[in-house]
Every structure is written in structure tokens, then in C-alpha cells.
Amino acid sequence: MSLVFYTTIESPVGPLLLAGDERGLRRVSFENGKRTTPVQPDWKLDKEPFAEVIRQLQAYFRGELKEFDLPLAMEGTEFQLRVWNALRAIPYGETISYARLAERIGNPKAVRAVGLANGSNPIPIIVPCHRVIGSDGSLTGFGGGLSTKKMLLELENKQLSLL
């Protein structure tokens, strides 16, 4: 296993923990969320490796960046990786239902499994799991909380400026 670096940044949606290694960003965690990531004893505090991540996140929160271009080092099952890659294809400012996402990955009966994979996304915001909503248009679970999900969707629909 390679050395993992981490830092914490302030953002309009609360403090975010960033973690990654030489392959790329591994984790974005809402410090006030339901599924926070604890800093591991062997991780090294260093903000420098995250300069580009921070720059792009700040541009996103200003409404100036619509697509992140960062090296990601996501680890998960083959199914999770398929779901997470499909999330990256959801255009800025658009939403999709869990059922439609299941169809997109070629497994229309896997709606619940898609929901679980979506909820396990280790890199929210950058891998836009907040763009997945209920079939009836309702906002459903989000690791950063539903108010954060709503804020991100409003930002992308130009109804809110976060910075």
C-alpha cells in the first residue's frame, strides 16, 4: 500500500477531508456527514498534493467549473466501479433516478444495488452522486445530508451561489 496523504479544507458545505496517494484522489469526506472517514494513523498530513483538487473544488463552488479533471484512485467492487463511472457521465445541472442509472449500467433490476453503490461513493461532489434522485423527483439519501445535496443541485441549476 502506498503512502496516503490527507488534508482538511473549509467549503461552503462544511469541512471536507481529502485523502489520496500518488495514483490520485481516494476520498472526499464530509466531516459533518453521516459517513465520515476517520484519519488513519499511517496517513500523512500534507495539503500540497491536493492543490489542484482544492483549486477545482473552489471553482466548482463558484459555479465556474462544470466537470472535474482529476486523477482518481477509486477502489471498490466491479459493480461499484461501474456505478461510479456512470455517475461521472451525468451532466452538470442534470439529475437521474436510481432506476435510470441501473438501466444505464445494463442492469435495470439492480435499483437497490445501484442505490447502495451510490451511497458508498468515496468521492462525492467530484463523482456526482448528488445528481441521483428518487423516481418521483424527491431528494433521497446523501452522505453530506439532504440540505447539502439540495445546495449542490441548486448551485448546478444556477439558483444558488456558494462562494
Side-chain angles (χ1 to χ4, degrees):
M1 187 104 179
S2 59
L3 179 61
V4 174
F5 296 96
Y6 78 96
T7 193
T8 302
I9 64 166
E10 289 300 322
S11 83
V13 294
L16 298 174
L17 172 80
L18 308 177
D21 59 21
E22 77 278 346
R23 294 182 310 136
L25 186 64
R26 298 171 61 91
R27 188 155 306 272
V28 172
S29 179
F30 296 97
E31 287 205 346
N32 301 328
K34 296 176 189 174
R35 294 183 21 216
T36 60
T37 299
V39 172
Q40 301 300 305
D42 59 337
W43 290 6
K44 181 177 186 215
L45 178 61
D46 188 352
K47 192 173 189 171
E48 180 55 34
F50 302 101
E52 184 60 15
V53 176
I54 294 167
R55 186 192 72 73
Q56 288 190 34
L57 280 168
Q58 289 172 338
Y60 170 81
F61 288 127
R62 285 192 303 269
E64 299 169 358
L65 182 82
K66 295 185 175 169
E67 191 172 320
F68 291 93
D69 183 17
L70 297 165
L72 305 179
M74 299 178 76
E75 293 180 348
T77 66
E78 182 181 328
F79 182 82
Q80 286 173 324
L81 292 169
R82 279 190 14 234
V83 171
W84 299 337
N85 284 328
L87 291 173
R88 296 180 73 194
I90 303 169
Y92 181 92
E94 293 185 20
T95 57
I96 187 173
S97 70
Y98 292 96
R100 182 72 188 112
L101 187 57
E103 290 171 10
R104 278 196 185 174
I105 65 164
N107 200 341
K109 294 184 187 222
V111 177
R112 287 180 189 247
V114 163
L116 288 172
N118 193 57
S120 299
N121 172 18
I123 309 177
I125 303 172
I126 293 167
V127 176
C129 53
H130 61 277
R131 295 179 187 154
V132 183
I133 60 174
S135 293
D136 63 358
S138 63
L139 297 187
T140 56
F142 184 64
L146 290 183
S147 61
T148 299
K149 182 173 188 163
K150 185 175 189 259
M151 285 174 59
L152 295 172
L153 292 174
E154 288 174 349
L155 167 72
E156 292 185 9
N157 283 305
K158 304 288 187 228
Q159 297 170 359
L160 181 69
S161 174
L162 297 179
L163 287 181

